[in-house]
Amino acid sequence: MRIVTSIAELKGIHVPGTSLVPTMGAFHEGHLELMRRARHDADCVVVSLFVNPTQFGPDEDFAKYPRNLDQDAALAESAGVDVLFAPSVEEIYSPAPTLIYVPEVTALWEGAFRPTHFQGVATIVLKLFNIVAPKRAYFGQKDLQQCLVIRRMVRDLNVPVDLCFEPTVREQDGLAMSSRNVYLSSEERAKAPLLAATLDSAAKALARNQEDPSSVLLEHQSRLSSAGFETDYFEWVDLEAMHPCRSSDTPSAVITAAKLGRTRLIDNKILGNGRLI
Ligand code: AMP
């Protein structure tokens, strides 16, 4: 595996049919599963590792985000990655960079709680697509709104890349794997699986279609509040614009973001077969 830090060097080793996995590092099984999937589908796998400053708000954890290049490089190599692209901030951004704005799907949920977040995500992902020129790119359904934002950007801007969205990898107790789980105290970690269990229970109740959806959502949200979660939102949304949804006729998901102490967790449950396409 080659570790590359410059855009010029990366462009020099471009292989047609490359697969790209964009990440911010601190690899866990969720990341490694995306890499293995990409390895299975392509001749050349590029993983980008870049803690992207433009997607963090001023009061967020950019400075303390976990970073460990040596460990990440060893894990990426074990997953069969060919190139780990780990540029500096200066290599990627000019002092006042052009930023990409994706409408509608960014308006609510993470877009409302983290107002500049998706602008940063769309910008770095488009830049990586232009730098790596992959045939396919892999993203995790764990960040469902991010998947929909990228899908919309790719459609609207005619970006020649195939998007692959992969299921959320979970700990044995159901907690979605996340680089930020290391922030949880042991007491918070013990409570954290309730988030996924509550999403599952709400999704089942909504799919049964026997109770008023708003009551189902409220009842499940209050289960989380009673257990000590501070929920930013707990909603049933469609899988296009992420508008609130009240019928299981269209593809949909239950989504939530909730704080446990100072750690903010996000998770979702897609109704039906659990896959975003
Ligand atoms: P990050 O390093 O957090 O930016 O994540 C890089 C990629 O890994 C994104 O496409 C995430 O959605 C994906 N990812 C993060 N956690 C998981 C998980 N538990 N299961 C599957 N994919 C994940």
Side-chain angles (χ1 to χ4, degrees), residues 35-50:
M35 295 176 204
R36 291 186 201 113
R37 191 68 245 171
R39 171 76 285 157
H40 183 262
D41 296 344
D43 292 337
C44 177
V45 178
V46 176
V47 170
S48 60
L49 192 173
F50 180 64

Side-chain angles (χ1 to χ4, degrees), residues 94-105:
S94 61
T98 299
L99 297 168
I100 302 293
Y101 165 70
V102 179
E104 293 173 346
V105 65

Side-chain angles (χ1 to χ4, degrees), residues 32-221:
L32 298 178
E33 206 39 49
L34 294 181
M35 295 176 204
R36 291 186 201 113
R37 191 68 245 171
R39 171 76 285 157
H40 183 262
D41 296 344
D43 292 337
C44 177
V45 178
V46 176
V47 170
S48 60
L49 192 173
F50 180 64
V51 184
N52 174 34
T54 62
Q55 72 187 68
F56 288 78
D59 301 324
E60 295 183 11
D61 56 344
F62 175 70
K64 74 162 187 173
Y65 197 82
R67 292 167 170 87
N68 188 339
L69 180 60
D70 291 346
Q71 187 177 313
D72 282 347
L75 288 169
E77 186 156 34
S78 75
V81 170
D82 298 295
V83 179
L84 185 65
F85 177 49
S88 65
V89 172
E90 296 70 33
E91 181 71 4
I92 291 294
Y93 287 120
S94 61
T98 299
L99 297 168
I100 302 293
Y101 165 70
V102 179
E104 293 173 346
V105 65
T106 56
L108 300 171
W109 327 123
E110 291 307 288
F113 280 89
R114 306 178 69 190
T116 57
H117 175 65
F118 287 123
Q119 192 168 278
V121 168
T123 302
I124 189 61
V125 170
L126 186 61
K127 281 180 69 81
L128 289 166
F129 287 169
N130 287 332
I131 293 166
V132 178
K135 181 171 186 319
R136 294 196 189 87
Y138 291 77
F139 297 89
Q141 287 178 183
K142 153 89 169 38
D143 298 288
L144 183 62
Q145 193 170 8
Q146 171 170 286
C147 292
L148 298 180
V149 169
I150 293 163
R151 188 174 71 179
R152 173 79 192 256
M153 175 184 77
V154 162
R155 281 180 190 164
D156 283 1
L157 299 181
N158 309 95
V159 184
V161 63
D162 294 333
L163 299 176
C164 305
F165 300 123
E166 299 298 326
T168 301
V169 178
R170 297 178 180 281
E171 304 286 356
Q172 284 205 333
D173 58 13
L175 175 64
M177 291 193 181
S178 164
S179 306
R180 291 188 167 101
N181 290 350
V182 296
Y183 300 154
L184 294 167
S185 69
S186 55
E187 196 185 318
E188 291 160 355
R189 175 64 189 81
K191 271 188 199 167
L194 190 67
L195 199 64
T198 307
L199 284 167
D200 275 3
S201 163
K204 282 199 186 101
L206 293 167
R208 271 198 306 274
N209 206 12
Q210 286 170 351
E211 296 159 74
D212 167 50
S214 301
S215 314
V216 170
L217 293 168
L218 261 179
E219 194 257 313
H220 284 82
Q221 182 162 11

